[in-house]
Amino acid sequence: MKFDDFDNIMRVYETSCDHCSLPGIYMVTRIDGRNFTTLSRKICHFEAPFDVKMRDLMIETTRRLMRCGFTILYGYTQSDEISLLHSLRETAFSRKHRKFNSILAGEASAMFTHLLGTPAAFDCRVCELPSTALVTDYFRWRMEDAHRNALNGHCYWHLRATGKSLKEATTQLSGMSVAQKNELLFSRGINFNDLPLWQKRGSGVYFTFIEKTGIDPRDRSPVTTTRRQLVTEMELPMNDDYAAMLKNILRADDGKPGLH
Ligand SMILES: Nc1nc2c(ncn2[C@@H]2O[C@H](COP(=O)(O)OP(=O)(O)OP(=O)(O)O)[C@@H](O)[C@H]2O)c(=O)[nH]1
Ligand SMILES: [Mg+2]
């Protein structure tokens, strides 16, 4: 058989389940650390429940992903996960999910491992959101998750510090209301409201535009160019204010490729 015929026959098996997102649908990718419970506790001995080094590695990885060949408007990270909002006009890899999942998981794993100096792996999934309202809800959902995890994490580690076993602390927490968890922390001198916002809300990364003035080497005339730069926000607003921030990012989406 000629190679071209052989290639055509075999290609079908490779591409038969190659799902693509339709035009007009927002794509959000979520990249999540694999087995980070073990990595944090047994391998790297990160401070619990929150370690500034872990936060900074996740933010640096998010910033890398926002410049790795996709058109991304906003990156959000909390715990061991990163969510990326792609431009509505994202055209990378013909919007093929297999490419998004494999490339973003690979890039995140490579960057995080490089920064940490110990092997770490991430998975990735694509979420398809048909409206800006659902995009906003998606990011509010992840922030709610961060908030819940922060309260549970602080309570859990305080119970452990008082001598409770893993099982005892988990059982005690599972029967408690949010108010009781707040009271538990308060009785040990911690006001949950006073904890750093990045722990309760996660961190966001987005692009801003800056104007730079230079000299045109051809005629020595002054020229002004616009550059995009990444900004990291560790004190994100919440609720309606967060929704307004996301709305602004979505409104400014010109979908221009090649700006990463
Ligand atoms: N000590 C410590 N642990 C952290 C920190 N950030 C995230 N983690 C841990 O990372 C884990 C993230 O949760 P999951 O993604 O559900 O757990 P996982 O072990 O990664 O499991 P899979 O994602 O299913 O592979 C939790 O156990 C967190 O406690 C941190 O700053 N310090
Ligand atoms: Mg994980």
Side-chain angles (χ1 to χ4, degrees), residues 28-32 82 97 100-101 104-105 123-127 138:
V28 171
T29 39
R30 186 162 75 253
I31 297 100
D32 186 285
I82 297 166
H97 287 199
F100 279 58
N101 289 334
L104 289 168
D123 66 24
C124 178
R125 71 202 62 184
V126 176
C127 303
Y138 172 92

Side-chain angles (χ1 to χ4, degrees), residues 148-242:
R148 246 188 36 172
N149 286 341
L151 182 59
N152 286 335
H154 276 286
C155 287
Y156 174 84
W157 286 106
H158 278 281
L159 289 173
R160 291 300 302 272
T162 61
K164 296 258 189 310
S165 69
L166 187 156
K167 199 165 168 226
E168 286 166 342
T170 312
T171 311
Q172 186 171 337
L173 269 182
S174 69
M176 290 170 78
S177 67
V178 169
Q180 286 170 328
K181 288 174 189 170
N182 273 294
E183 276 163 29
L184 171 77
L185 292 181
F186 204 67
S187 70
R188 287 176 167 78
I190 294 173
N191 186 342
F192 188 68
N193 288 330
D194 295 340
L195 291 172
L197 289 187
W198 66 268
Q199 296 188 1
K200 296 180 283 188
R201 301 186 190 172
S203 306
V205 184
Y206 53 88
F207 289 98
T208 53
F209 292 92
I210 48 158
E211 296 215 322
K212 282 220 154 181
T213 308
I215 301 289
D216 188 332
R218 289 166 302 185
D219 58 7
R220 312 295 303 158
S221 62
V223 277
T224 307
T225 51
T226 307
R227 292 238 183 99
R228 290 206 312 174
Q229 68 175 8
L230 282 173
V231 174
T232 302
E233 181 55 78
M234 283 192 246
E235 298 201 342
L236 287 169
M238 65 189 285
N239 298 333
D240 288 348
D241 291 337
Y242 191 38

Side-chain angles (χ1 to χ4, degrees), residues 16-256:
S16 61
C17 55
D18 222 354
H19 183 77
C20 302
S21 280
L22 293 172
I25 302 274
Y26 280 101
M27 299 174 78
V28 171
T29 39
R30 186 162 75 253
I31 297 100
D32 186 285
R34 178 153 188 255
N35 276 336
F36 267 43
T37 307
T38 307
L39 181 90
S40 313
R41 290 183 199 176
K42 302 210 172 123
I43 301 170
C44 296
H45 306 288
F46 285 144
E47 230 175 87
F50 291 98
D51 193 308
V52 170
K53 183 178 173 193
M54 166 75 180
R55 177 200 69 188
D56 291 346
L57 296 184
M58 290 301 294
I59 289 173
E60 232 13 80
T61 304
T62 306
R63 292 170 68 97
R64 162 73 193 153
L65 295 182
M66 290 180 75
R67 292 184 180 275
C68 79
F70 297 87
T71 309
I72 294 166
L73 306 176
Y74 178 59
Y76 171 76
T77 178
Q78 58 114 343
S79 184
D80 69 337
E81 69 173 57
I82 297 166
S83 292
L84 303 172
L85 169 60
H86 295 254
S87 163
L88 188 58
R89 278 154 284 199
E90 175 71 271
T91 53
F93 309 105
S94 310
R95 298 165 72 85
K96 285 180 188 167
H97 287 199
R98 272 204 320 207
K99 281 284 191 184
F100 279 58
N101 289 334
S102 55
I103 290 170
L104 289 168
E107 289 278 356
S109 304
M111 186 65 181
F112 195 90
T113 297
H114 172 70
L115 295 169
L116 181 66
T118 298
F122 287 81
D123 66 24
C124 178
R125 71 202 62 184
V126 176
C127 303
E128 296 182 297
L129 299 160
S131 67
T132 53
L134 280 167
V135 169
T136 305
D137 282 347
Y138 172 92
F139 283 97
R140 286 178 69 166
W141 168 50
R142 295 326 298 152
M143 188 181 276
E144 283 281 320
D145 186 73
H147 195 270
R148 246 188 36 172
N149 286 341
L151 182 59
N152 286 335
H154 276 286
C155 287
Y156 174 84
W157 286 106
H158 278 281
L159 289 173
R160 291 300 302 272
T162 61
K164 296 258 189 310
S165 69
L166 187 156
K167 199 165 168 226
E168 286 166 342
T170 312
T171 311
Q172 186 171 337
L173 269 182
S174 69
M176 290 170 78
S177 67
V178 169
Q180 286 170 328
K181 288 174 189 170
N182 273 294
E183 276 163 29
L184 171 77
L185 292 181
F186 204 67
S187 70
R188 287 176 167 78
I190 294 173
N191 186 342
F192 188 68
N193 288 330
D194 295 340
L195 291 172
L197 289 187
W198 66 268
Q199 296 188 1
K200 296 180 283 188
R201 301 186 190 172
S203 306
V205 184
Y206 53 88
F207 289 98
T208 53
F209 292 92
I210 48 158
E211 296 215 322
K212 282 220 154 181
T213 308
I215 301 289
D216 188 332
R218 289 166 302 185
D219 58 7
R220 312 295 303 158
S221 62
V223 277
T224 307
T225 51
T226 307
R227 292 238 183 99
R228 290 206 312 174
Q229 68 175 8
L230 282 173
V231 174
T232 302
E233 181 55 78
M234 283 192 246
E235 298 201 342
L236 287 169
M238 65 189 285
N239 298 333
D240 288 348
D241 291 337
Y242 191 38
M245 177 191 139
L246 293 165
K247 219 171 175 183
N248 278 339
I249 289 172
L250 286 160
R251 201 181 292 130
D253 177 21
D254 58 11
K256 274 187 204 139

